[in-house]
């Protein structure tokens, strides 16, 4: 997924980006609240990790502006404040979750998974889609109960399609979700990744159709078992 980290402490911001990038996410770092606000006016992301003490515009002000635009992007606040009143205000202003500094990176990953999962409408990290089982904790995929070898980026591409079933996704949209701003994927990169994922899903109930000149649409060919 595309994640924006808004954190002005460069060392911490880079560490977060490296950790999330290693999981296959497209991650970008901005250290200024005003710059982040300008970016979010035209660039959609799947999750925002937001520090409160920022130059240009505070994290709280950025959050308020985001919600005033009716932008429902999940926001995880990274804060050194541990007073209950501060936490209540952040949640009331539209934050989806918060994590108090210093924090464990394992907990950060778990909270990110939870917010991304909820955005896609899933109650748990293990979901079934026809004969395909996806475990977001372990980043594993099973088809008819058998483990299917899949890379981190292929896993994220699978998540993108499962999160937009029945909807046409252009190459640009997929690129926005799959890569960060600093990456320059080749013109055939999306075709390559989609082709690889198709091969690995041959025995699965996920059909990815190509609409020439438009993009791709994914559908489950059999009904999923009740969650």
């Amino acid at each position: 997924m595309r994640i924006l980290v808004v954190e002005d402490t460069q060392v911490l911001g880079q560490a977060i980006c490296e950790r999330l990038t290693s999981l296959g996410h497209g991650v970008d770092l901005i250290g200024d609240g005003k710059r982040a606000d300008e970016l979010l006016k035209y660039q959609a992301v799947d999750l925002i990790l937001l520090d409160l003490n920022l130059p240009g515009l505070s994290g709280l002000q950025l959050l308020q502006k985001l919600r005033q635009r009716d932008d429902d992007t999940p926001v995880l606040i990274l804060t050194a404040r541990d007073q209950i009143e501060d936490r209540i205000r952040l949640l009331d202003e539209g934050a989806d979750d918060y994590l108090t500094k210093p924090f464990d990176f394992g907990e950060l990953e778990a909270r990110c998974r939870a917010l991304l999962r909820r955005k896609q409408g899933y109650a748990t990290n293990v979901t079934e889609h026809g004969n395909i089982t996806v475990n977001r904790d372990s980043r594993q995929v099973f088809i008819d109960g058998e483990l299917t070898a899949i890379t981190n980026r292929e896993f994220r591409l699978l998540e993108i399609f499962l999160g937009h079933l029945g909807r046409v996704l252009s190459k640009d949209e997929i690129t926005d979700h799959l890569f960060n701003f600093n990456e320059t994927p080749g013109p055939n990169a999306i075709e390559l990744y989609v082709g690889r994922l198709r091969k690995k899903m041959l025995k699965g109930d996920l059909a990815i159709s190509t609409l020439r000149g438009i993009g791709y649409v994914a559908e489950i060919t059999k009904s999923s078992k009740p969650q």
Side-chain angles (χ1 to χ4, degrees):
M1 301 292 106
R2 171 63 71 82
I3 300 175
L4 177 64
V5 179
V6 189
E7 167 63 64
D8 68 331
T9 303
Q10 191 72 12
V11 173
L12 176 59
Q14 288 289 356
I16 293 172
C17 290
E18 289 174 9
R19 185 71 176 242
L20 296 177
T21 299
S22 72
L23 300 178
H25 296 293
V27 189
D28 297 287
L29 174 64
I30 292 181
D32 181 278
K34 189 172 182 179
R35 284 181 52 221
D37 183 57
E38 289 300 319
L39 172 74
L40 291 168
K41 287 178 181 178
Y42 65 86
Q43 176 66 58
V45 297
D46 297 296
L47 174 65
I48 301 168
L49 273 58
L50 180 61
D51 183 31
L52 289 181
N53 298 317
L54 295 167
L57 198 68
S58 74
L60 179 58
Q61 290 172 317
L62 193 155
L63 174 64
Q64 291 169 334
K65 287 178 175 290
L66 196 71
R67 297 309 185 222
Q68 287 167 5
R69 294 195 294 267
D70 292 325
D71 189 327
D72 62 356
T73 303
V75 176
L76 172 60
I77 298 290
L78 306 177
T79 175
R81 304 176 189 176
D82 58 3
Q83 295 297 316
I84 188 65
E85 294 83 3
D86 292 327
R87 299 176 187 177
I88 291 172
R89 185 181 182 192
L90 290 169
L91 294 171
D92 283 343
E93 291 289 351
D96 296 273
D97 199 358
Y98 62 86
L99 196 55
T100 303
K101 300 177 182 179
F103 51 79
D104 179 81
F105 276 95
E107 182 178 3
L108 174 67
E109 290 176 20
R111 290 179 183 269
C112 288
R113 281 196 302 270
L115 291 175
L116 290 168
R117 182 190 73 220
R118 287 178 208 156
K119 184 180 181 183
Q120 293 183 331
Y122 300 126
T124 67
N125 279 328
V126 180
T127 56
E128 296 185 3
H129 312 268
N131 66 344
I132 301 170
T133 300
V134 178
N135 187 322
R136 289 168 176 78
D137 282 330
S138 60
R139 300 187 297 284
Q140 291 179 315
V141 178
F142 299 84
I143 298 178
D144 287 326
E146 293 187 8
L147 180 64
T148 299
I150 191 167
T151 66
N152 276 334
R153 188 148 277 172
E154 290 164 355
F155 184 87
R156 297 309 171 199
L157 180 58
L158 175 62
E159 282 193 305
I160 292 168
F161 281 126
L162 292 177
H164 300 85
L165 290 172
R167 179 188 157 196
V168 177
L169 294 174
S170 68
K171 287 184 179 180
D172 286 343
E173 285 181 284
I174 295 173
T175 299
D176 284 345
H177 285 288
L178 201 58
F179 299 94
N180 61 39
F181 298 136
N182 294 326
E183 291 181 292
T184 53
N188 299 320
I190 298 303
E191 292 179 16
L192 179 65
Y193 282 114
V194 171
R196 289 176 179 174
L197 183 61
R198 272 202 188 110
K199 288 181 180 179
K200 295 185 177 182
M201 294 293 111
L202 282 177
K203 296 182 180 179
D205 291 336
L206 178 71
I208 304 172
S209 303
T210 301
L211 304 179
R212 297 275 177 204
I214 301 175
Y216 302 92
V217 60
E219 296 177 298
I220 299 299
T221 56
K222 293 181 181 179
S223 299
S224 298
K225 298 176 184 179
Q227 298 295 317

